[in-house]
Every structure is written in C-alpha cells, then in structure tokens.
Amino acid sequence: MIKQVIIGVVCGAAVLTVGILIGHFGIAKSGTSAPSWLKDVAKDVDESLIEKFMSEVDNIQIQENLRSLTKVPHMATTAGDEETVQIMLKRWQDPETGLDKAWREEYWVYLSFPDKNNPNTVTVVSPTNTVLHTIREKEKPYTPDQSDPEVVQPYAAYSPAGHVKGKLVYANQGKPSDYSELNKTVDLRGTIAITKYGGAGRSAKAINAAPYGVVGVLVYTDPLDMNDGLMSDANETYPHSWYMPPSGVERGSYNIDFGDLLTPHLAAKEETYRINATDITGIPPIPTQPIGFEDAYRLICELGGEPAPDAWQGGFNCTYNFGGPGFKPTSSFTNSDVKLDIYNYEEVKPSSNVMGFIRGSVEPDRYVIYGNHRDSWVHGAIDPSSGTSVMLEITRVLGKMVKQGTWRPRRSIIFGSWGAEEFGLIGSAEYTEQYFAALSERSVAYINVDIAVFGKKLHTAPVKAPGHEKSVYDNWLQYTNKTSPTHGLIPRMGYLTGAGSDYAPFSHYLGITSMDMSYTYDKTKTNARIYPAYHTAYDTFDYASKYIDPGFVGHQAVARTAGNVLIRLADSLILPLNCADYAESLEEYLSTALNLYEQKLKTMNISMEPLKHAVTSFRAAVSNLEKVIQSPDLANETPLKVRWINDQLMLLDRAFLDPLAFPDKYGFRHVIWASSSAGKQTFPGLADAYANAESSGQASDWDKVHYHLSVLSQAILGAASTLTDDMQTQTWRK
Amino acid sequence: MIKQVIIGVVCGAAVLTVGILIGHFGIAKSGTSAPSWLKDVAKDVDESLIEKFMSEVDNIQIQENLRSLTKVPHMATTAGDEETVQIMLKRWQDPETGLDKAWREEYWVYLSFPDKNNPNTVTVVSPTNTVLHTIREKEKPYTPDQSDPEVVQPYAAYSPAGHVKGKLVYANQGKPSDYSELNKTVDLRGTIAITKYGGAGRSAKAINAAPYGVVGVLVYTDPLDMNDGLMSDANETYPHSWYMPPSGVERGSYNIDFGDLLTPHLAAKEETYRINATDITGIPPIPTQPIGFEDAYRLICELGGEPAPDAWQGGFNCTYNFGGPGFKPTSSFTNSDVKLDIYNYEEVKPSSNVMGFIRGSVEPDRYVIYGNHRDSWVHGAIDPSSGTSVMLEITRVLGKMVKQGTWRPRRSIIFGSWGAEEFGLIGSAEYTEQYFAALSERSVAYINVDIAVFGKKLHTAPVKAPGHEKSVYDNWLQYTNKTSPTHGLIPRMGYLTGAGSDYAPFSHYLGITSMDMSYTYDKTKTNARIYPAYHTAYDTFDYASKYIDPGFVGHQAVARTAGNVLIRLADSLILPLNCADYAESLEEYLSTALNLYEQKLKTMNISMEPLKHAVTSFRAAVSNLEKVIQSPDLANETPLKVRWINDQLMLLDRAFLDPLAFPDKYGFRHVIWASSSAGKQTFPGLADAYANAESSGQASDWDKVHYHLSVLSQAILGAASTLTDDMQTQTWRK
C-alpha cells in the first residue's frame, strides 16, 4: 500500500551528517593497560567497509531474488505468502550469508477476501432483469503467470458483501465536494456511483457517498491519470509498454486506520480482545468494487444527464455526463440498472512477520530497524518484492561479513519482513504494538524500502550502475531539490506525513525517526500517479524487468544507498541524525503558519507568540548541542557522554509524541508529522483545526486552534529539552 | 493532600538491594595509562559517605527549619507562600550549604478561595427567616498564631458559590450507597445533607448527592473516626492532646482530577489554552461547606426522622437520625431549614515551584528527583512543612559536601518544592506536563516526603535517635510486615495506587518509579485515620513539637532514611531497584485475580491464560536479568553495559504505561498501580471492569474485562521485554 510517491523521503531528523564526525572521537592511547573494550567503544564507522559493501551489492543477485519472490501470487496468508516466508527464513538462516538469527512472528489478523466460489459480479441489467453487460471478472492474461488460478479477483478489501442495484451516476473522484456538486441536479438516492481513483482515499469514496443515499460504488483508474491517455493493448499498453492494460484493476484495502482492525492498540494475538466487527470505522458502508477502464468506458460513455464539469472529464473519447441518473435514452442500456453482487467475506487468519537480527557489538541495546512488507496483491514484483529483493541483497552482503567475522555492527540491526501490509500495514503495526516499550526505548531509526524502484525508463539511469555517469546524488539534485537556508542547494526530501507504507507505525505511533526510500521516474514526463501496474495482475517479473528497471541497476542503486544509510546508523560513533535540519523544518512550518494564520488569530485573541518562542528555543537547543558534538573536548569524554548525545538524537522524535493530540486519527501521535487534510505545508493539527474553525466559525472550533497551538508549543519546547544538556536552564515562556 | 496513611511506601520496583552490589563492578587497574575518567565511571556508592551523611543529619536543624517555615500561614499563592519561596531559594542558593543552583518556576493555576469580605455562613433559619444558630466562622484559637488574620476560613475548595437552604438530612459518608439507602425513606429533593469525612472522596459527597435533588452538603469530622471519641477541649483535645478540638475543621480541595483543572495535559503557562470552567468535572455541583464537630453535634442530635443504621452512628452521645427531613418536633430547630451562603470564588494565579539541582559527575543525564509541596492550608506544620524541614536538612548536609568539593553524585539530583499541592497536586503535575519528554527519558526515581511524621507518641521512638534502641528497620518490621516468598519476613511496603501526594504525577502519569516515605503511629492504638490536626488551624509548630515529634527525632530518622535512599539512587553503579520484588507483586496480584475471577470468566469464555503467561514471562525475564547483574563477568564489561542494565531498571515502570487504558481517570496511565474503586488487591483495570460487569451483567461490560486482560498481558510482556537483553527471543504467547 503506497499512497504517495516519494523520492528518498526522510522523516524527522534522519539526515546524514556522514563524514563530519569521522575520527572525531578517540580516547587517549598512550598506554597498554587500558581495558580491552576501550578501543571498541570509541570506534567510529569504517568508510572502507562501506565501500566494500557498495562494491559487493550485485544487480544480478537482486534480479534473481525478485524472480524467486514473484514465482507465484503471494497475497497475505495464502500458500504463496507462506512460500515467501520460507524463502526469507532460508536466506536469513543461511550458515554462510545469513543473520545471527531469524524467526517468524505470527498475528491473528482480520482480513477480507472475495469468494472464489462466488466471484463478485457487476452487471448492467434491464428493467426486466436481463443482463445486458457483465464486467470482466478477472484481468486479461498476457503471460502464463498472469493466468495463475491464484490471481485474486479484483476486489475492494473490507467492502461489505451485498446485492445492490440502481441507476448509475458519475461522481468524479468521490470526494465530499463531488457528491455535493452532483447532488445539486441529480437525486442520488438508490443510485450506484462510479468514481475514479485519486483525490480521495479508497474507502472515502463509499463513505462520502452513503449519506446521499448512494447504495453501491464502482472505482476505476482513468487512463488520463495513469496512462497519459493511452488505452489500447494492441500497441499502447502492457505488454507493449509500462501502461495499464484496459482490463487492469487496482486492488486495494478500503480502510482508513492502520493495523489489525479488530485489535486497536493491542497486538493481535490469538486470545487478544477483539472489538465487534460492526464497530470498525473507516471502511465502506456500502458494497464497493473496482473495475477496469475498458468496462468503465462502456458505462461512463453511455451515461445520460447533464455533462459533468470540465475538471471531471477524463481520458475517454466521450463526454462524461452525471448520469440521468442512469444511461442516456439513446443507449442500449437505457433504463437499465447497474447491479453489484459482492460476496466478500472476512476472516481472522494467522499472518507472519519474518524477523532477522544481527547483534550489536558495543551497543546491542540500540536497534536500527530495516523493513519491508512481503505480501502482495498478486505477484507484486514491484510492490513489494522490489524492496524485498533489495533487502535480501543487503542482508546477503552484511550477513556474509558477519558470518566470516569481518564485521559486526556497533548497534544491533533488526530486519522485518512484514505480513499483511496490503490490508493496512498490519504486520508492522502489530509488531510496534507488541514491542511498544522495548522499541520505544531502544530504536535509533527505521528504514523502509517498499517499492524500491517506481520506474526509470523516463529519465537517466542511476549511478554507480555500470556504464552510467551520474551519481544518485546528482540525479536527485537535478530532479528534486530545494534551497536550504543552512545548506544551500540540496536534494529535497519529503516528509512522511501519511501512512503509505510500514514506516507509519514506527514514525507516527512510536515516534521513531524513519526514512522511506525509492528510486522514481521523472514526474514532469508523465501523468502516471504511480507505476501503472500497481496492484494489478501485471505487476510481474516480466513487467519489472522490462519496463521498470531493466538490468536492475536502479535496484542496485537503492540497495547501495539504503545499505549505506543502514551501516552509518549502525556503526557511527555519533548518530548521523542532523537535528539542525529538524529546526529548519520547524522554522519553515512556523513561517507558513504565521503567514496563513497569525493575522486572523490576532483578531480572535489567540497569540502565536508561544509557538514562535518554542521554535526559537528549539533552534537554540540545536545550536548548543551541535557545539557539543563538534567540540574537540568530546575526544576526552567518557563513552557515557557519547551515549548521552546519541540518546538525545535518538529520542528527539519521541519527544514530539502526544497520544491524545489526534483522537480521531488512529495511530497518529506525532504532532509535527501527522497526516493532515488541510493541504498546507505546516503543523498538521493546527492546519486542520484552523480549516475547521474557518469553515464552521464556531467559538469551540477556534478553541481547538488555540488548543493545538498549546500542544505544539509544549511539544516543541519538550523536544528542545530533550536536546538540552540541562533541561532546567532552558528559558520557557511564562 | 494526603488521602492515605502510609508507612515507607514504595511503588513499583523501588526496593533497596543495597550492599549486594557494592564493589561488584570494577575495571582492570593494572596500568596507569588508562583514561582519567575510567575510575570515576566504575565507582560505586561509598558506604562511608552514607555514614557521614547520617551522622550529620541534625534534629535541631530540622526543628528550626520547621519553626521558620511555619511562622505564618502559607496557603498557595498568598504572601505567606511567597515567604516560603524566599526561604527555599535562600537556603538552596546559600554559598556554603546550597545546591549547584536553584530557581523558581511559575504556573498560572486555577484556584478557589473563600471571600474574606463575605465569609461563607451556615445557619439554621426558622420558617420566618429568623437565624436560630450560626455555624462558627473560624476555628477557636489557642495560641497567638492560630488567630492570625491570614488563617483562612474553613471551606471546600472548588465548591461553587451559592445560596441554598433546605431541610437537613444525615447521609453518613456521602457514598452512593448512603444516599440510596437514605432515599428509600426520605424525599431528598431540596434537602441539605450533612456527611462525615471518610468513605468517599471529598467532592464525591456532593457529586453523589446532586442526582437525588440534594441542594447543599455539609461535611464534618466525626469524633469517633479521629478522636477516639474524645470531644472536650477542656481537658481532652488539643491543646491537651493531639486530638482535634471541637471547632477544628478539615479544609481540603474538593476535586477528583489532579493538576491544574483548566489545562489538562498542558503546562499551565500564561498563554496556554484553557478549557471553560464550566467543563471541569469532578468538583461539587452544589454548594458544600465543611464544619467543626461542635456544630455538627448540634445539627445531628436535633435531627428527626427514623434512626440511621448502626453502621452510620458516630461518636456523639445521641442517636443519629436520618432527618424527617429536618429537625425533630421536640427540637428548638423544628421546621427550620439549614442555609448555606457560600461566596467561594475562583481565580487564575501564579504559583511557584522552587527547584534545586546538583549536577551529576558521571551520568548528569540521569535524574534522581526528591520533592515535597511547600503550600499548606494554614500553618501546615506537619502537612507539608515536616517534609520540607526534612528536605532542607538533607540538602544542607549534601549541599555542604558539594560546596566543599568532598562529594558530587554520580547522577544528577533534582529537588522540587512544589506549589499548590493542596489544590490538587498542581505544582508537581504541571512540572511533569511541562518536562514530560526529558523527565521520561532521564528520571531514575522520584522520592516524596510530604508529611514526614504522622505521629509517634503512641509507640516506641524511631532509632538512631539519641537514647533509643530500636532501629527504623526493627520498628518497621515489628509494626508492619509481610512474608515474602523470596525474602521471608520483611517490612511491608504499600503500593502508591492513589493520588494522595505529589508522587502521583511522577508515578501515574510519567511511570517513574516512586517512593513516598513517612514515620507514623501504631494504627492498633487509635482510630484516628490521620493525625487529628490535619488541614486545621491547629497544625502549628506548637502542635508538631508537642504532640507529633517532640525532639524531632522522628523527623531525623526520616531524613536519614530518605537521604540514604537518595544517595544510593544517585551513586550506586547499578541502580538499587529490585525487579524481583516487582515480579513478586505481579504474582500476588495474579494469584488474587485468579481466585476472584477465573472461574466466572471461564463461563464467559474469557481466558486468563495470557495473563498467567505474561506474569511467568516477566518472572523469567527478571531471573535472567538478575543473573546478569550478579555475574562476575560484569566486572569486565564496558560502562555501556552497566548503563544498559540501569536503563532497563529505570525504564521498567515506564513500560507499564498505557495512555488509553483509563479514559475516565485523569492522569492515570500505569496499568499496575492505577487507582481502583473495586477494593481488591489486584490489577486495577481488571478489578474495576469485573466489578462493573458483575453489577451490570451486560455483554459490553464483560468485553471490557477481556479488554483489560489484554491490556495487562501486553503491558506485562512489554515490561518483560524491557528487562530482556534481546526482546526477540522472548516467548510470547500466540
């Protein structure tokens, strides 16, 4: 489940300050009688080891990993999923290239499946109940693996089963504003709405529809949004290009909250308390089904009623009408209903994480965590197996060094191959719930590499790949950059404000500094909002090796980059987390917030001064800590002093957690990086509260703005205290 | 605010394992070229220093501290309070006996006061509005300080102002069952209820009354519960003994939640968001006033109606009747109403904590916190100045060593002199809200000494006091003991499950291992539920020095004991926190829970196996950690290994926090030590949920029992992971 496309996104403080600190710390070595551990304790990251690691990362190994992981469909908890469990265990338990240990952790999780014996159907039925058209049940296969009987029928996971029919209407992206607009001229009661992917979350399209009396929802991918308008599999779409074929359907989990839906905040063990399924929120209240655009084309172009607004038009060569409701008088479907027969069922099933561990030599109680999910919707060559192939190559190279005794990280490394991510980040979320305490206490950072390569055909290749000239860094700088007040022109990193992959429970629930990394295509060259085979039956080895990353040099670049970060996090004497960049982000957020809100808030007698003061104090704390880190005195200090600095850096993101700040957003506790619906690049709670107050005008809503200002000020000052040597001397505002 | 009488209560893991570890850890010392810090880092607590400390603790100094602190009434935010602020600052900033630094921290807190210009009145008024009797406005003075104009009129803080009258009824302790019983025969609508202290929280007496239509509440101390029945100040009560004089009134804060009531979860800074005062819960909904027992005697003995049950009878030489409602026909008060004219007002005022700091030498980023509140209701000789006098003596002795350069603790020590505790632990709670992150990260333990000595006239004196023979330990063992499966006969320590003093925000909100310590009287010799001058105008230096601790040797014993614990926590190489005792407590709780609940829960298909498994796993983790601590290998380990063990011990209590477990209990997050109303010595959430389900019989309430079992199992397993070297190998139940 990737909801956002991201380039090497780093959340929070996780910015590399590599190099600067190398060789910085050392202890006096004038004698021989010092204890034997002294040298180990003072050891910093070894650059030559990183070079060695980089040189051993092999693109062909990654390719073969991918081939093996994508042999069969491996949807969560299926036999194919178990095959990948075995692959991971075998690799991580390999006596020559494995880890110190590897094992399975199981959770009993609530999943939703279509019924093999009663496939979901969508039909156009005449008033006399004659079936005039049947939507394609499965995608058209182009390769043998695509016709594997284990290819799951496209469906909307967590859509309720049900049998509904009604006149069809076109509701654009299914946003609240879309239904509101449509409702102005069309009576929506008893209708079926067809909607495009994008604009609103999957389940939101049905949640937004139900209050208007809509009884069922169809969802499709418009060729304009994904295929740059291309529609024909005769010569335009896969297997002729990376574009989505006409029968392709994006599957997906139609829910909002992450983690097992029956066990919020509790690890889903067999005997764990479960809420009633009827109390689950955030899933479709009415039957919902995704369909391919070849079928959507038939349905939409036959619709009657007024033409939809320009902004609603898509890639089909017809006018998108609202629907009469229903089809136009000239259509052979006139007066017909669309009927959904949905047989989805829910089941609590055991899902496995596979865990791997390399014990740290000097600080075994500090964890660097690296993970990706293992489950896919079908073969999942890109999502998630590209990431898993990269992870397996990293563990192969590191594992070999560990087994040969040539390297052991300073800190422990945990590898996680998460289960059931596609159903809502379940494996990773349950893991963070189960080990909440120990992970909070000990985790230095979490690195996520899910979709390793989104595509590369549309721009120059990544570097250190044979025969190419530009480095990853140069590429990055060319395609995505920003000007930092501190650093000048640098690669831009996004913020992990959403819940698009398994970093979410680590970052948002545990406050662990997290990074999500991928190699992606040039967004200026295509409208595709993601790689077009995403969540379809076409996301296969064939597709990946032909259209996403021929030669697997993109994968190799990601493996090198992610592994490089991993080793630095594990081995650096001082953690390579640059808190000055955190201050810069807060300053940018503050500046935006002041521009957007200060004037109006003054008229409401709500002061933003405490927030300004908090950000200023945070910057001061950062500057002081940086001086300590860069001070030559550090060389004479005890290992406990170094540990203290590292603890300050490690715990910085934790200090921003407030488990009560967002009562309506499950799992979001980080007051800086939480998701926001206001669409402003600033503090999420403040932005959402402000948007809400502005829209309602109610005093109690303005109170919430003030509340979020206080929550933020307190959290930022609290985080400043975390960075401050002596919290008591810090100047807090009255 | 002390709601429970406690002897040397230790919460959580805070049990001394002193001695065992002394000299345990050392590094090889065979050369001279090792870095200079090596010796400091490996240094353990110095027993001779503790002996020196103990010998320098002086009872006369404590007496003089008390004299100075109790010169004038020092209710929170009054001029007298500011005088005590100045005393603390002067002492802690003294160049010869002060701390490294000391400063003031202010919060703007919501307080409630009676109006000096319009004192609250309680009268008996005839049907023609003739005042037949007026309750005494202030207590009768016996010494000049007791007639100080700054002695605040007895009142119920946070009772609303208002003017109500009605027929009087006697409602025992104001528990829900009391009103329910009374309501069987008496129409309570429009009545005034008179209730005894005890049985229900202060504000609960009014909260429980209001649903029955009661319009006002009086509260008094029955002589049976406090004075062993004695009532006459001619020869029985103070100034002739420690007993409460007839006009004595226990003041108090009539609220349930702790911390500033307008700024839940936020530090009450000047510009912090405040909720509306009308949204405060847990305070009396109807006017409430405490009165002395001489007045209560008049009112109760004149009541008409049926005789109250035997259990409701008290120390007066008359039958306690329910009230007709109202007075009996033979009374001169017959047909009269009781009228309350309450003029309490609320105000947001700045309240100060005074903070002191001694910087640690080796681990400055680890804090041992020692605190007590400074504010009293009147002169507060015992509550809280006995504790403050002890704290000042401890800081004098330690400060002198620091200033002379003869000692500096391994870890930092923070001293807190909290403001506005009497209004609901406000100063300490705001401090924990403000510094939530840094305190959570760094605090090793919190020691609270509020009322240092509750009394000693009724049993043998404490030891190491000149001329006495028994040690504190022997005394303790004689009067309060238990048989531990592990240790045999040992002094019993209670659990800090309530919110009786400033340990509550540390223990319940932050999960910091906490201890509350005092010297108390033999409970078998008196019914007094607390020392009888508690919260009255008689809690003066005269009272303390004559009746509570003549010679101040009890204070001296507490100062020695608390200081001893403080030094060990600050200086020990391995923290003296015995996690085996934690396991023993969990086993006891489990055993009680199994006896009480397992059979019934089986019939509801709710298994207690996961809880059993969790406690067993916790014990296993403890045993493994103990082996590590006691291993001779530790001597060859790095300082980081020692730090790790200490982090495990330090963070153990934190691992039991669940901020969502008790949505209705403000500030309670610790799933083992939270308060409980079920009255069972077992897991509080489970006990309360079970009692609730048993009473309602509703399926959704049995679900909550299951939920709390899962919360507990997960928290205990999580805590086991905290104690476990490698969390991954731990066996979690499916």
Side-chain angles (χ1 to χ4, degrees), chain A residues 27 30-35 37-38 41 101 103 108 265-267 269-273 276 357 359 362-367 410 414 431 433-435 437-439 441-442 607 610 636-640 643-644 647-648 651 655 659-660 669 703 706-707 710-711 714 718 721-722 724-729 732-734, chain B residues 27 30-35 37-38 41 101 103 108 265-267 269-273 276 357 359 362-367 410 414 431 433-435 437-439 441-442 607 610 636-640 643-644 647-648 651 655 659-660 669 703 706-707 710-711 714 718 721-722 724-729 732-734:
Chain A
I27 51 106
S30 53
T32 53
S33 61
W37 46 260
L38 213 46
V41 162
K101 52 185 179 169
W103 66 100
W108 272 250
H265 305 296
L266 293 169
K269 294 291 167 178
E270 203 167 12
E271 291 167 312
T272 298
Y273 168 68
N276 292 317
F357 189 69
R359 187 178 169 82
V362 174
E363 298 182 89
D365 60 331
R366 286 294 174 265
Y367 302 150
R410 176 185 183 87
I414 295 174
Y431 180 76
E433 288 171 345
Q434 178 171 3
Y435 293 107
L439 290 172
E441 296 155 7
R442 303 174 187 172
S607 168
N636 303 317
E637 282 282 2
T638 78
L640 294 174
R643 171 80 165 206
W644 180 9
D647 280 358
Q648 290 178 296
L651 294 171
L660 306 176
R669 300 178 162 200
D703 277 354
H706 192 177
Y707 167 72
S710 291
V711 163
Q714 178 157 311
S721 284
T722 291
T724 303
D725 180 89
D726 171 359
M727 69 175 195
Q728 274 73 30
T729 59
W732 285 63
R733 196 174 167 82
K734 268 187 185 180
Chain B
I27 51 110
S30 50
T32 54
S33 63
W37 46 258
L38 212 48
V41 162
K101 54 184 180 171
W103 65 100
W108 272 250
H265 304 297
L266 294 168
K269 294 290 169 178
E270 203 167 10
E271 291 167 312
T272 299
Y273 168 68
N276 292 316
F357 189 68
R359 188 178 167 85
V362 175
E363 297 182 88
D365 60 331
R366 287 295 175 263
Y367 302 151
R410 177 185 182 89
I414 295 174
Y431 180 76
E433 288 172 346
Q434 176 170 5
Y435 294 107
L439 289 172
E441 296 155 5
R442 303 174 187 173
S607 167
N636 304 317
E637 281 282 0
T638 79
L640 294 174
R643 172 78 164 206
W644 178 11
D647 280 358
Q648 291 179 296
L651 295 171
L660 306 177
R669 301 178 161 198
D703 277 356
H706 192 177
Y707 167 73
S710 292
V711 163
Q714 178 157 313
S721 285
T722 290
T724 303
D725 182 271
D726 170 0
M727 70 176 194
Q728 275 71 30
T729 56
W732 286 64
R733 198 175 165 83
K734 272 188 183 179

Side-chain angles (χ1 to χ4, degrees), chain A residues 89-104:
Chain A
L89 283 173
K90 185 165 178 236
R91 290 288 300 270
W92 286 354
Q93 289 171 346
D94 187 284
E96 284 171 14
T97 60
L99 310 174
D100 286 344
K101 52 185 179 169
W103 66 100
R104 173 205 300 264

